[in-house]
Amino acid sequence: MQLLRPEDVELLRALTPAVMKGKIGPGDTAAIEQTVKSFDTLLVDLSEPVVAGVLQAFDVLSFGLSRGLTTGQWSSWSKASLEDAENALARLRDSGIGLLNAIYAAVIRLTISSWYLIPENAATTGYPGPPRKVASPVPVVAPTAKESTP
């Protein structure tokens, strides 16, 4: 990993099946690992302040006391079941604390983006790829010079 630390990887391994429920199951270790690697690649392309914010959020979710208080997950993420991960995400989402809501949104959006950045997963969207330049439906007519009368 280029930017993700071991505790971040552990966190993402636990949360990815809950975020991608229906696409990745808890036992699908290959898909989980591929998504975590894609997450790391995505972080490399983000600005330094965004990366710092994501890593700080992961610190909150990984440190034992803050993890337990914010998510209800008192044991390590490696011991979390799918239900534990779903409950942790629900606590972040439903919290009255805006910072925790923001952490939830970041985890969800970045994980989903990471999954869809994997070419074979992107193909499942039905989206054909980047937009192509399309000709204007109305022809653009250049203004003509007014003829002067003698």
Side-chain angles (χ1 to χ4, degrees), residues 1-149:
M1 298 291 164
Q2 296 178 60
L3 294 175
L4 291 175
R5 305 160 297 187
E7 61 271 18
D8 304 330
V9 171
E10 182 181 322
L11 166 70
L12 289 171
R13 283 179 179 151
L15 295 182
T16 295
V19 172
M20 299 306 301
K21 194 170 183 179
K23 302 278 186 190
I24 298 177
D28 194 352
T29 54
I32 292 168
E33 291 304 314
Q34 191 175 24
T35 303
V36 171
K37 287 178 186 173
S38 181
F39 195 111
D40 187 62
T41 301
L42 177 62
L43 282 181
V44 169
D45 290 333
L46 297 176
S47 70
E48 192 174 314
V50 172
V51 171
V54 170
L55 295 179
Q56 285 177 339
F58 285 1
D59 287 343
V60 170
L61 298 178
S62 295
F63 179 67
L65 183 59
S66 60
R67 179 187 60 236
L69 292 171
T70 58
T71 68
Q73 179 64 27
W74 290 97
S75 61
S76 70
W77 286 113
S78 63
K79 296 178 182 175
S81 66
L82 177 61
E83 184 180 355
D84 293 335
E86 289 172 337
N87 290 337
L89 289 170
R91 281 183 64 145
L92 294 171
R93 180 194 64 220
D94 299 337
S95 173
I97 300 171
L99 177 60
L100 297 182
N101 303 146
I103 290 172
Y104 167 81
V107 168
I108 295 295
R109 289 178 183 150
L110 291 172
T111 302
I112 291 171
S113 296
S114 299
W115 190 81
Y116 279 113
L117 284 173
I118 300 167
E120 54 270 19
N121 297 339
T124 68
T125 66
Y127 181 68
R132 287 179 260 143
K133 187 173 182 178
V134 179
S136 174
V138 178
V140 177
V141 179
T144 59
K146 292 185 180 180
E147 293 183 18
S148 58
T149 53

